[in-house]
Amino acid sequence: MLERELQVTNKLGLHARAAAKLVQLLSGFRCQATLLGRGREVNAKSIMGVLLLAAAPGATLVMRVEGDDEAEALAAAAALFERGFDEEG
């Protein structure tokens, strides 16, 4: 199992479009992925789970991954967070 803190850097936070990008990205990996934030633990491959976190800009979340391709999944998710979910500004 791997774990990493990720910061929400885009202007709008983890809103529907950003959450969908994360879920779509992670769905391509076999490992299990979990996001922790605001006292909640959710399935990071579930759009409803990710939206439930209501992560605002600047929020810090913890991602846990476990499985065959966990390192690749965590690196890809971290890159998406660092790029601000490919949103302008």
Side-chain angles (χ1 to χ4, degrees):
M1 177 178 71
L2 298 175
E3 185 175 291
R4 182 170 172 182
E5 281 192 0
L6 302 171
Q7 186 166 18
V8 179
T9 58
N10 58 323
K11 279 187 188 180
L12 300 175
L14 204 45
H15 59 91
R17 190 171 36 253
K21 281 187 178 189
L22 178 62
V23 169
Q24 182 177 19
L25 172 77
L26 291 172
S27 69
F29 295 95
R30 294 180 308 277
C31 65
Q32 293 182 350
T34 305
L35 271 177
L36 295 86
R38 298 184 56 199
R40 297 176 189 243
E41 183 173 335
V42 301
N43 178 353
K45 292 184 177 184
S46 162
I47 187 78
M48 293 306 292
V50 174
L51 288 173
L52 186 65
L53 292 176
T60 300
L61 304 174
V62 175
M63 178 168 281
R64 284 189 191 143
V65 289
E66 186 171 2
D68 294 339
D69 51 1
E70 62 189 21
E72 295 87 354
L74 187 55
L80 183 63
F81 271 79
E82 289 166 6
R83 292 192 316 265
F85 299 91
D86 300 323
E87 295 177 0
E88 299 270 335

